[in-house]
mmCIF file of all heavy atoms in Angstrom:
data_model
loop_
_atom_site.group_PDB
_atom_site.id
_atom_site.type_symbol
_atom_site.label_atom_id
_atom_site.label_comp_id
_atom_site.label_asym_id
_atom_site.label_seq_id
_atom_site.Cartn_x
_atom_site.Cartn_y
_atom_site.Cartn_z
ATOM 1 N N ILE A 80 28.672 10.246 27.600
ATOM 2 C CA ILE A 80 28.501 8.831 27.187
ATOM 3 C C ILE A 80 28.614 7.825 28.331
ATOM 4 O O ILE A 80 28.188 6.701 28.174
ATOM 5 C CB ILE A 80 29.471 8.437 26.070
ATOM 6 C CG1 ILE A 80 30.906 8.638 26.490
ATOM 7 C CG2 ILE A 80 29.149 9.173 24.774
ATOM 8 C CD1 ILE A 80 31.864 7.986 25.554
ATOM 9 N N ALA A 81 29.178 8.202 29.472
ATOM 10 C CA ALA A 81 29.306 7.220 30.562
ATOM 11 C C ALA A 81 28.131 7.325 31.528
ATOM 12 O O ALA A 81 28.138 6.578 32.519
ATOM 13 C CB ALA A 81 30.637 7.422 31.304
ATOM 14 N N ASP A 82 27.200 8.220 31.289
ATOM 15 C CA ASP A 82 26.134 8.436 32.253
ATOM 16 C C ASP A 82 24.814 7.918 31.772
ATOM 17 O O ASP A 82 24.460 7.999 30.591
ATOM 18 C CB ASP A 82 26.011 9.944 32.543
ATOM 19 C CG ASP A 82 27.119 10.422 33.445
ATOM 20 O OD1 ASP A 82 27.226 9.897 34.543
ATOM 21 O OD2 ASP A 82 27.878 11.303 33.041
ATOM 22 N N VAL A 168 37.836 11.719 34.862
ATOM 23 C CA VAL A 168 37.484 11.938 33.437
ATOM 24 C C VAL A 168 37.132 10.615 32.791
ATOM 25 O O VAL A 168 38.014 9.900 32.309
ATOM 26 C CB VAL A 168 38.620 12.652 32.689
ATOM 27 C CG1 VAL A 168 38.179 13.114 31.336
ATOM 28 C CG2 VAL A 168 39.205 13.797 33.504
ATOM 29 N N PRO A 169 35.874 10.251 32.787
ATOM 30 C CA PRO A 169 35.495 8.894 32.404
ATOM 31 C C PRO A 169 35.767 8.522 30.945
ATOM 32 O O PRO A 169 35.862 7.336 30.633
ATOM 33 C CB PRO A 169 34.009 8.793 32.704
ATOM 34 C CG PRO A 169 33.527 10.200 32.754
ATOM 35 C CD PRO A 169 34.684 11.016 33.209
ATOM 36 N N ASP A 170 35.953 9.488 30.060
ATOM 37 C CA ASP A 170 36.240 9.128 28.681
ATOM 38 C C ASP A 170 37.744 9.251 28.373
ATOM 39 O O ASP A 170 38.121 9.311 27.222
ATOM 40 C CB ASP A 170 35.390 9.879 27.660
ATOM 41 C CG ASP A 170 35.691 11.398 27.688
ATOM 42 O OD1 ASP A 170 36.274 11.882 28.674
ATOM 43 O OD2 ASP A 170 35.326 12.083 26.695
ATOM 44 N N LEU A 171 38.558 9.292 29.397
ATOM 45 C CA LEU A 171 40.005 9.405 29.221
ATOM 46 C C LEU A 171 40.684 8.171 29.814
ATOM 47 O O LEU A 171 40.999 8.122 31.007
ATOM 48 C CB LEU A 171 40.544 10.661 29.905
ATOM 49 C CG LEU A 171 41.979 11.053 29.526
ATOM 50 C CD1 LEU A 171 42.039 11.540 28.094
ATOM 51 C CD2 LEU A 171 42.550 12.045 30.497
ATOM 52 N N PRO A 172 40.895 7.146 28.969
ATOM 53 C CA PRO A 172 41.561 5.944 29.499
ATOM 54 C C PRO A 172 43.028 6.290 29.740
ATOM 55 O O PRO A 172 43.528 7.306 29.250
ATOM 56 C CB PRO A 172 41.378 4.923 28.370
ATOM 57 C CG PRO A 172 41.244 5.721 27.152
ATOM 58 C CD PRO A 172 40.591 6.997 27.549
ATOM 59 N N VAL A 173 43.683 5.395 30.452
ATOM 60 C CA VAL A 173 45.054 5.672 30.833
ATOM 61 C C VAL A 173 45.967 5.935 29.622
ATOM 62 O O VAL A 173 46.872 6.731 29.698
ATOM 63 C CB VAL A 173 45.560 4.517 31.752
ATOM 64 C CG1 VAL A 173 45.670 3.211 31.007
ATOM 65 C CG2 VAL A 173 46.823 4.898 32.495
ATOM 66 N N GLU A 174 45.660 5.272 28.506
ATOM 67 C CA GLU A 174 46.474 5.436 27.281
ATOM 68 C C GLU A 174 46.567 6.891 26.820
ATOM 69 O O GLU A 174 47.557 7.280 26.226
ATOM 70 C CB GLU A 174 45.882 4.617 26.127
ATOM 71 C CG GLU A 174 46.204 3.114 26.204
ATOM 72 C CD GLU A 174 45.306 2.414 27.166
ATOM 73 O OE1 GLU A 174 44.511 3.051 27.870
ATOM 74 O OE2 GLU A 174 45.495 1.163 27.297
ATOM 75 N N PHE A 192 41.312 7.284 38.399
ATOM 76 C CA PHE A 192 40.950 6.433 37.291
ATOM 77 C C PHE A 192 39.907 5.403 37.677
ATOM 78 O O PHE A 192 39.834 5.033 38.833
ATOM 79 C CB PHE A 192 42.200 5.712 36.726
ATOM 80 C CG PHE A 192 43.058 6.593 35.880
ATOM 81 C CD1 PHE A 192 44.152 7.241 36.427
ATOM 82 C CD2 PHE A 192 42.768 6.789 34.527
ATOM 83 C CE1 PHE A 192 44.971 8.060 35.686
ATOM 84 C CE2 PHE A 192 43.619 7.612 33.787
ATOM 85 C CZ PHE A 192 44.701 8.278 34.372
ATOM 86 N N ILE A 193 39.161 4.968 36.711
ATOM 87 C CA ILE A 193 38.119 3.989 36.943
ATOM 88 C C ILE A 193 38.617 2.581 36.608
ATOM 89 O O ILE A 193 39.300 2.385 35.555
ATOM 90 C CB ILE A 193 36.904 4.344 36.034
ATOM 91 C CG1 ILE A 193 36.254 5.664 36.558
ATOM 92 C CG2 ILE A 193 35.848 3.217 36.070
ATOM 93 C CD1 ILE A 193 35.159 6.228 35.655
ATOM 94 N N ILE A 194 38.306 1.642 37.441
ATOM 95 C CA ILE A 194 38.552 0.236 37.158
ATOM 96 C C ILE A 194 37.166 -0.420 36.888
ATOM 97 O O ILE A 194 36.282 -0.309 37.722
ATOM 98 C CB ILE A 194 39.183 -0.506 38.363
ATOM 99 C CG1 ILE A 194 40.587 0.103 38.679
ATOM 100 C CG2 ILE A 194 39.223 -2.006 38.129
ATOM 101 C CD1 ILE A 194 41.708 -0.544 37.971
ATOM 102 N N ALA A 195 37.013 -0.997 35.724
ATOM 103 C CA ALA A 195 35.684 -1.545 35.322
ATOM 104 C C ALA A 195 35.679 -3.060 35.528
ATOM 105 O O ALA A 195 36.772 -3.671 35.700
ATOM 106 C CB ALA A 195 35.445 -1.248 33.855
ATOM 107 N N PRO A 196 34.506 -3.672 35.524
ATOM 108 C CA PRO A 196 34.451 -5.136 35.684
ATOM 109 C C PRO A 196 35.228 -5.837 34.569
ATOM 110 O O PRO A 196 35.692 -6.968 34.738
ATOM 111 C CB PRO A 196 32.943 -5.451 35.574
ATOM 112 C CG PRO A 196 32.264 -4.189 35.966
ATOM 113 C CD PRO A 196 33.155 -3.087 35.510
ATOM 114 N N THR A 197 35.353 -5.168 33.402
ATOM 115 C CA THR A 197 36.026 -5.807 32.276
ATOM 116 C C THR A 197 37.549 -5.576 32.280
ATOM 117 O O THR A 197 38.263 -6.156 31.480
ATOM 118 C CB THR A 197 35.490 -5.193 30.947
ATOM 119 O OG1 THR A 197 35.522 -3.789 31.084
ATOM 120 C CG2 THR A 197 34.111 -5.688 30.633
ATOM 121 N N THR A 198 38.009 -4.728 33.189
ATOM 122 C CA THR A 198 39.426 -4.388 33.196
ATOM 123 C C THR A 198 40.283 -5.627 33.466
ATOM 124 O O THR A 198 40.087 -6.352 34.440
ATOM 125 C CB THR A 198 39.723 -3.338 34.293
ATOM 126 O OG1 THR A 198 38.930 -2.193 34.014
ATOM 127 C CG2 THR A 198 41.181 -2.921 34.322
ATOM 128 N N THR A 199 41.229 -5.867 32.533
ATOM 129 C CA THR A 199 42.104 -7.028 32.699
ATOM 130 C C THR A 199 43.156 -6.759 33.731
ATOM 131 O O THR A 199 43.403 -5.607 34.112
ATOM 132 C CB THR A 199 42.828 -7.325 31.372
ATOM 133 O OG1 THR A 199 43.513 -6.117 30.964
ATOM 134 C CG2 THR A 199 41.829 -7.698 30.273
ATOM 135 N N ARG A 202 45.745 -4.295 32.457
ATOM 136 C CA ARG A 202 45.285 -2.925 32.466
ATOM 137 C C ARG A 202 45.224 -2.409 33.910
ATOM 138 O O ARG A 202 45.502 -1.271 34.161
ATOM 139 C CB ARG A 202 43.914 -2.771 31.799
ATOM 140 C CG ARG A 202 43.915 -3.115 30.307
ATOM 141 C CD ARG A 202 42.604 -2.683 29.673
ATOM 142 N NE ARG A 202 42.387 -1.255 29.887
ATOM 143 C CZ ARG A 202 42.951 -0.285 29.177
ATOM 144 N NH1 ARG A 202 43.812 -0.608 28.199
ATOM 145 N NH2 ARG A 202 42.705 0.959 29.432
ATOM 146 N N ILE A 206 46.756 1.032 35.248
ATOM 147 C CA ILE A 206 45.893 2.073 35.805
ATOM 148 C C ILE A 206 46.327 2.459 37.236
ATOM 149 O O ILE A 206 46.457 3.624 37.554
ATOM 150 C CB ILE A 206 44.440 1.623 35.765
ATOM 151 C CG1 ILE A 206 43.940 1.568 34.299
ATOM 152 C CG2 ILE A 206 43.535 2.590 36.542
ATOM 153 C CD1 ILE A 206 42.643 0.809 34.118
ATOM 154 N N TYR A 215 38.608 4.445 41.513
ATOM 155 C CA TYR A 215 37.133 4.419 41.411
ATOM 156 C C TYR A 215 36.774 3.036 40.821
ATOM 157 O O TYR A 215 37.071 2.759 39.690
ATOM 158 C CB TYR A 215 36.720 5.536 40.496
ATOM 159 C CG TYR A 215 35.218 5.843 40.405
ATOM 160 C CD1 TYR A 215 34.753 7.148 40.454
ATOM 161 C CD2 TYR A 215 34.271 4.803 40.273
ATOM 162 C CE1 TYR A 215 33.404 7.441 40.355
ATOM 163 C CE2 TYR A 215 32.913 5.095 40.232
ATOM 164 C CZ TYR A 215 32.503 6.405 40.243
ATOM 165 O OH TYR A 215 31.148 6.693 40.162
ATOM 166 N N GLN A 217 34.250 0.718 39.325
ATOM 167 C CA GLN A 217 32.931 0.743 38.676
ATOM 168 C C GLN A 217 32.238 -0.586 39.000
ATOM 169 O O GLN A 217 32.693 -1.674 38.607
ATOM 170 C CB GLN A 217 33.113 0.904 37.174
ATOM 171 C CG GLN A 217 31.790 0.911 36.399
ATOM 172 C CD GLN A 217 31.976 1.131 34.928
ATOM 173 O OE1 GLN A 217 32.961 1.763 34.467
ATOM 174 N NE2 GLN A 217 31.019 0.677 34.113
ATOM 175 N N ALA A 218 31.127 -0.496 39.698
ATOM 176 C CA ALA A 218 30.484 -1.643 40.294
ATOM 177 C C ALA A 218 29.849 -2.616 39.304
ATOM 178 O O ALA A 218 29.618 -3.766 39.579
ATOM 179 C CB ALA A 218 29.452 -1.246 41.326
ATOM 180 N N ARG A 219 29.485 -2.098 38.162
ATOM 181 C CA ARG A 219 28.783 -2.893 37.168
ATOM 182 C C ARG A 219 29.046 -2.422 35.799
ATOM 183 O O ARG A 219 29.605 -1.345 35.588
ATOM 184 C CB ARG A 219 27.255 -2.856 37.473
ATOM 185 C CG ARG A 219 26.683 -1.487 37.354
ATOM 186 C CD ARG A 219 25.213 -1.435 37.707
ATOM 187 N NE ARG A 219 25.041 -1.703 39.109
ATOM 188 C CZ ARG A 219 24.330 -2.734 39.599
ATOM 189 N NH1 ARG A 219 23.755 -3.590 38.786
ATOM 190 N NH2 ARG A 219 24.192 -2.932 40.882
ATOM 191 N N MET A 220 28.624 -3.220 34.826
ATOM 192 C CA MET A 220 28.781 -2.820 33.414
ATOM 193 C C MET A 220 27.861 -1.608 33.113
ATOM 194 O O MET A 220 26.926 -1.389 33.834
ATOM 195 C CB MET A 220 28.376 -3.995 32.487
ATOM 196 C CG MET A 220 29.184 -5.262 32.780
ATOM 197 S SD MET A 220 30.911 -5.065 32.345
ATOM 198 C CE MET A 220 30.785 -5.072 30.556
ATOM 199 N N GLY A 221 28.173 -0.940 32.004
ATOM 200 C CA GLY A 221 27.217 0.058 31.557
ATOM 201 C C GLY A 221 27.533 1.432 32.102
ATOM 202 O O GLY A 221 28.667 1.835 32.215
ATOM 203 N N THR A 222 26.436 2.143 32.410
ATOM 204 C CA THR A 222 26.526 3.538 32.766
ATOM 205 C C THR A 222 26.090 3.778 34.209
ATOM 206 O O THR A 222 25.664 2.854 34.863
ATOM 207 C CB THR A 222 25.602 4.340 31.834
ATOM 208 O OG1 THR A 222 24.294 3.810 31.961
ATOM 209 C CG2 THR A 222 26.071 4.250 30.392
ATOM 210 N N THR A 223 26.218 5.026 34.634
ATOM 211 C CA THR A 223 25.790 5.371 35.959
ATOM 212 C C THR A 223 24.267 5.192 36.064
ATOM 213 O O THR A 223 23.560 5.310 35.082
ATOM 214 C CB THR A 223 26.147 6.817 36.285
ATOM 215 O OG1 THR A 223 25.533 7.685 35.314
ATOM 216 C CG2 THR A 223 27.639 7.065 36.287
ATOM 217 N N ASP A 232 30.088 -8.264 40.528
ATOM 218 C CA ASP A 232 31.350 -7.795 39.965
ATOM 219 C C ASP A 232 32.113 -6.972 41.000
ATOM 220 O O ASP A 232 33.378 -6.960 40.969
ATOM 221 C CB ASP A 232 31.042 -6.872 38.774
ATOM 222 C CG ASP A 232 30.562 -7.625 37.540
ATOM 223 O OD1 ASP A 232 30.878 -8.822 37.454
ATOM 224 O OD2 ASP A 232 29.881 -7.038 36.723
ATOM 225 N N PHE A 251 28.623 3.543 40.734
ATOM 226 C CA PHE A 251 27.761 3.006 39.663
ATOM 227 C C PHE A 251 26.702 2.087 40.277
ATOM 228 O O PHE A 251 26.959 0.927 40.523
ATOM 229 C CB PHE A 251 28.519 2.238 38.593
ATOM 230 C CG PHE A 251 29.195 3.090 37.505
ATOM 231 C CD1 PHE A 251 29.972 4.150 37.861
ATOM 232 C CD2 PHE A 251 29.011 2.825 36.141
ATOM 233 C CE1 PHE A 251 30.613 4.936 36.890
ATOM 234 C CE2 PHE A 251 29.635 3.591 35.186
ATOM 235 C CZ PHE A 251 30.439 4.638 35.553
ATOM 236 N N TYR B 41 39.563 7.610 23.034
ATOM 237 C CA TYR B 41 38.999 8.287 24.206
ATOM 238 C C TYR B 41 37.669 7.670 24.602
ATOM 239 O O TYR B 41 36.614 8.192 24.254
ATOM 240 C CB TYR B 41 38.848 9.782 23.862
ATOM 241 C CG TYR B 41 40.171 10.473 23.590
ATOM 242 C CD1 TYR B 41 40.726 10.453 22.317
ATOM 243 C CD2 TYR B 41 40.865 11.124 24.598
ATOM 244 C CE1 TYR B 41 41.930 11.074 22.055
ATOM 245 C CE2 TYR B 41 42.085 11.769 24.361
ATOM 246 C CZ TYR B 41 42.622 11.723 23.080
ATOM 247 O OH TYR B 41 43.812 12.349 22.838
ATOM 248 N N VAL B 42 37.732 6.540 25.230
ATOM 249 C CA VAL B 42 36.503 5.861 25.626
ATOM 250 C C VAL B 42 36.605 5.428 27.106
ATOM 251 O O VAL B 42 37.701 5.288 27.636
ATOM 252 C CB VAL B 42 36.265 4.585 24.761
ATOM 253 C CG1 VAL B 42 35.994 4.960 23.324
ATOM 254 C CG2 VAL B 42 37.377 3.605 24.897
ATOM 255 N N PRO B 43 35.401 5.191 27.729
ATOM 256 C CA PRO B 43 35.423 4.713 29.079
ATOM 257 C C PRO B 43 36.230 3.404 29.227
ATOM 258 O O PRO B 43 36.206 2.584 28.365
ATOM 259 C CB PRO B 43 33.921 4.516 29.406
ATOM 260 C CG PRO B 43 33.227 5.484 28.494
ATOM 261 C CD PRO B 43 34.059 5.475 27.237
ATOM 262 N N GLU B 44 36.789 3.263 30.415
ATOM 263 C CA GLU B 44 37.606 2.079 30.715
ATOM 264 C C GLU B 44 36.849 0.823 30.403
ATOM 265 O O GLU B 44 37.431 -0.187 29.927
ATOM 266 C CB GLU B 44 38.073 2.144 32.164
ATOM 267 C CG GLU B 44 38.747 0.891 32.702
ATOM 268 C CD GLU B 44 40.010 0.507 31.946
ATOM 269 O OE1 GLU B 44 40.657 1.387 31.314
ATOM 270 O OE2 GLU B 44 40.387 -0.717 31.982
ATOM 271 N N VAL B 45 35.519 0.785 30.755
ATOM 272 C CA VAL B 45 34.757 -0.471 30.571
ATOM 273 C C VAL B 45 34.866 -0.968 29.155
ATOM 274 O O VAL B 45 34.782 -2.159 28.894
ATOM 275 C CB VAL B 45 33.312 -0.264 31.066
ATOM 276 C CG1 VAL B 45 32.572 0.742 30.163
ATOM 277 C CG2 VAL B 45 32.584 -1.590 31.149
ATOM 278 N N LEU B 46 35.048 -0.054 28.179
ATOM 279 C CA LEU B 46 35.136 -0.436 26.758
ATOM 280 C C LEU B 46 36.547 -0.794 26.303
ATOM 281 O O LEU B 46 36.730 -1.393 25.258
ATOM 282 C CB LEU B 46 34.592 0.667 25.891
ATOM 283 C CG LEU B 46 33.091 0.883 25.972
ATOM 284 C CD1 LEU B 46 32.683 2.085 25.046
ATOM 285 C CD2 LEU B 46 32.339 -0.353 25.480
ATOM 286 N N MET B 47 37.567 -0.345 27.039
ATOM 287 C CA MET B 47 38.924 -0.514 26.550
ATOM 288 C C MET B 47 39.292 -1.966 26.263
ATOM 289 O O MET B 47 39.940 -2.239 25.244
ATOM 290 C CB MET B 47 39.935 0.159 27.536
ATOM 291 C CG MET B 47 40.019 1.620 27.391
ATOM 292 S SD MET B 47 40.396 2.241 25.726
ATOM 293 C CE MET B 47 42.050 1.529 25.446
ATOM 294 N N PRO B 48 38.940 -2.929 27.116
ATOM 295 C CA PRO B 48 39.294 -4.321 26.763
ATOM 296 C C PRO B 48 38.642 -4.755 25.450
ATOM 297 O O PRO B 48 39.308 -5.462 24.672
ATOM 298 C CB PRO B 48 38.743 -5.127 27.947
ATOM 299 C CG PRO B 48 38.766 -4.121 29.079
ATOM 300 C CD PRO B 48 38.370 -2.800 28.486
ATOM 301 N N ALA B 49 37.428 -4.293 25.172
ATOM 302 C CA ALA B 49 36.797 -4.644 23.908
ATOM 303 C C ALA B 49 37.478 -4.001 22.725
ATOM 304 O O ALA B 49 37.625 -4.547 21.648
ATOM 305 C CB ALA B 49 35.314 -4.223 23.932
ATOM 306 N N ILE B 50 37.951 -2.751 22.981
ATOM 307 C CA ILE B 50 38.683 -2.058 21.934
ATOM 308 C C ILE B 50 40.031 -2.785 21.617
ATOM 309 O O ILE B 50 40.436 -2.906 20.494
ATOM 310 C CB ILE B 50 38.980 -0.587 22.368
ATOM 311 C CG1 ILE B 50 37.660 0.181 22.618
ATOM 312 C CG2 ILE B 50 39.905 0.107 21.445
ATOM 313 C CD1 ILE B 50 37.114 0.804 21.397
ATOM 314 N N GLU B 51 40.652 -3.257 22.681
ATOM 315 C CA GLU B 51 41.873 -4.015 22.473
ATOM 316 C C GLU B 51 41.604 -5.320 21.772
ATOM 317 O O GLU B 51 42.366 -5.722 20.857
ATOM 318 C CB GLU B 51 42.556 -4.282 23.858
ATOM 319 C CG GLU B 51 43.147 -3.049 24.475
ATOM 320 C CD GLU B 51 43.813 -3.307 25.817
ATOM 321 O OE1 GLU B 51 43.669 -4.410 26.369
ATOM 322 O OE2 GLU B 51 44.501 -2.394 26.337
ATOM 323 N N GLU B 52 40.510 -5.994 22.116
ATOM 324 C CA GLU B 52 40.131 -7.201 21.429
ATOM 325 C C GLU B 52 39.871 -6.932 19.945
ATOM 326 O O GLU B 52 40.261 -7.681 19.067
ATOM 327 C CB GLU B 52 38.894 -7.783 22.136
ATOM 328 C CG GLU B 52 38.368 -9.077 21.557
ATOM 329 C CD GLU B 52 36.979 -9.458 22.099
ATOM 330 O OE1 GLU B 52 36.444 -8.723 22.996
ATOM 331 O OE2 GLU B 52 36.442 -10.472 21.654
ATOM 332 N N MET B 201 26.940 3.634 22.344
ATOM 333 C CA MET B 201 28.130 3.411 23.145
ATOM 334 C C MET B 201 27.714 2.955 24.576
ATOM 335 O O MET B 201 28.414 2.122 25.146
ATOM 336 C CB MET B 201 28.942 4.708 23.237
ATOM 337 C CG MET B 201 29.684 4.993 21.959
ATOM 338 S SD MET B 201 31.093 6.082 22.292
ATOM 339 C CE MET B 201 32.052 5.837 20.754
ATOM 340 N N ARG B 202 26.633 3.518 25.077
ATOM 341 C CA ARG B 202 26.212 3.108 26.427
ATOM 342 C C ARG B 202 25.758 1.670 26.417
ATOM 343 O O ARG B 202 26.049 0.889 27.328
ATOM 344 C CB ARG B 202 25.051 4.028 26.916
ATOM 345 C CG ARG B 202 25.500 5.438 27.155
ATOM 346 C CD ARG B 202 24.370 6.318 27.719
ATOM 347 N NE ARG B 202 24.771 7.692 27.775
ATOM 348 C CZ ARG B 202 24.243 8.698 27.019
ATOM 349 N NH1 ARG B 202 23.254 8.425 26.215
ATOM 350 N NH2 ARG B 202 24.719 9.918 27.123
ATOM 351 N N ASP B 203 25.030 1.275 25.369
ATOM 352 C CA ASP B 203 24.597 -0.091 25.272
ATOM 353 C C ASP B 203 25.815 -1.044 25.174
ATOM 354 O O ASP B 203 25.910 -2.072 25.846
ATOM 355 C CB ASP B 203 23.690 -0.360 24.055
ATOM 356 C CG ASP B 203 23.285 -1.821 23.947
ATOM 357 O OD1 ASP B 203 24.123 -2.650 23.572
ATOM 358 O OD2 ASP B 203 22.096 -2.155 24.268
ATOM 359 N N TRP B 204 26.778 -0.604 24.342
ATOM 360 C CA TRP B 204 27.983 -1.426 24.183
ATOM 361 C C TRP B 204 28.715 -1.564 25.516
ATOM 362 O O TRP B 204 29.230 -2.639 25.870
ATOM 363 C CB TRP B 204 28.872 -0.802 23.114
ATOM 364 C CG TRP B 204 29.945 -1.693 22.579
ATOM 365 C CD1 TRP B 204 29.856 -3.075 22.463
ATOM 366 C CD2 TRP B 204 31.254 -1.304 22.074
ATOM 367 N NE1 TRP B 204 31.049 -3.532 21.935
ATOM 368 C CE2 TRP B 204 31.872 -2.503 21.704
ATOM 369 C CE3 TRP B 204 31.901 -0.079 21.958
ATOM 370 C CZ2 TRP B 204 33.151 -2.485 21.144
ATOM 371 C CZ3 TRP B 204 33.156 -0.080 21.398
ATOM 372 C CH2 TRP B 204 33.794 -1.244 20.997
ATOM 373 N N ALA B 205 28.773 -0.489 26.283
ATOM 374 C CA ALA B 205 29.459 -0.492 27.598
ATOM 375 C C ALA B 205 28.744 -1.421 28.554
ATOM 376 O O ALA B 205 29.341 -1.946 29.487
ATOM 377 C CB ALA B 205 29.515 0.905 28.165
ATOM 378 N N THR B 206 27.458 -1.653 28.339
ATOM 379 C CA THR B 206 26.716 -2.558 29.214
ATOM 380 C C THR B 206 26.824 -4.033 28.779
ATOM 381 O O THR B 206 26.819 -4.934 29.614
ATOM 382 C CB THR B 206 25.184 -2.133 29.183
ATOM 383 O OG1 THR B 206 25.112 -0.740 29.449
ATOM 384 C CG2 THR B 206 24.398 -2.885 30.238
ATOM 385 N N ASN B 207 26.910 -4.302 27.489
ATOM 386 C CA ASN B 207 26.843 -5.612 26.954
ATOM 387 C C ASN B 207 28.102 -6.028 26.165
ATOM 388 O O ASN B 207 28.065 -6.871 25.315
ATOM 389 C CB ASN B 207 25.651 -5.759 26.034
ATOM 390 C CG ASN B 207 24.350 -5.417 26.755
ATOM 391 O OD1 ASN B 207 23.941 -6.070 27.673
ATOM 392 N ND2 ASN B 207 23.704 -4.308 26.352
ATOM 393 N N VAL B 208 29.225 -5.416 26.530
ATOM 394 C CA VAL B 208 30.406 -5.473 25.700
ATOM 395 C C VAL B 208 30.927 -6.915 25.539
ATOM 396 O O VAL B 208 31.533 -7.246 24.524
ATOM 397 C CB VAL B 208 31.489 -4.545 26.246
ATOM 398 C CG1 VAL B 208 31.937 -4.940 27.610
ATOM 399 C CG2 VAL B 208 32.651 -4.396 25.288
ATOM 400 N N GLU B 209 30.606 -7.812 26.474
ATOM 401 C CA GLU B 209 31.210 -9.106 26.392
ATOM 402 C C GLU B 209 30.716 -9.955 25.208
ATOM 403 O O GLU B 209 31.480 -10.666 24.612
ATOM 404 C CB GLU B 209 31.118 -9.857 27.733
ATOM 405 C CG GLU B 209 32.213 -9.368 28.659
ATOM 406 C CD GLU B 209 31.897 -9.472 30.142
ATOM 407 O OE1 GLU B 209 30.740 -9.622 30.495
ATOM 408 O OE2 GLU B 209 32.835 -9.394 30.951
ATOM 409 N N THR B 211 28.756 -8.487 22.649
ATOM 410 C CA THR B 211 28.231 -7.550 21.623
ATOM 411 C C THR B 211 29.323 -6.852 20.868
ATOM 412 O O THR B 211 30.322 -6.413 21.503
ATOM 413 C CB THR B 211 27.308 -6.535 22.311
ATOM 414 O OG1 THR B 211 26.218 -7.244 22.945
ATOM 415 C CG2 THR B 211 26.744 -5.535 21.324
#
Side-chain angles (χ1 to χ4, degrees):
Chain A
I80 58 166
D82 286 301
V168 190
D170 65 341
L171 191 72
V173 67
E174 281 79 357
F192 284 95
I193 294 171
I194 298 271
T197 49
T198 301
T199 56
R202 295 192 58 78
I206 291 166
Y215 190 136
Q217 179 177 334
R219 61 183 68 241
M220 303 294 286
T222 55
T223 58
D232 289 334
F251 278 50
Chain B
Y41 297 86
V42 294
E44 171 60 24
V45 66
L46 290 177
M47 281 305 296
I50 298 274
E51 289 180 349
E52 181 190 357
M201 285 203 164
R202 293 183 189 114
D203 179 287
W204 196 30
T206 309
N207 302 295
V208 63
E209 277 154 344
T211 298

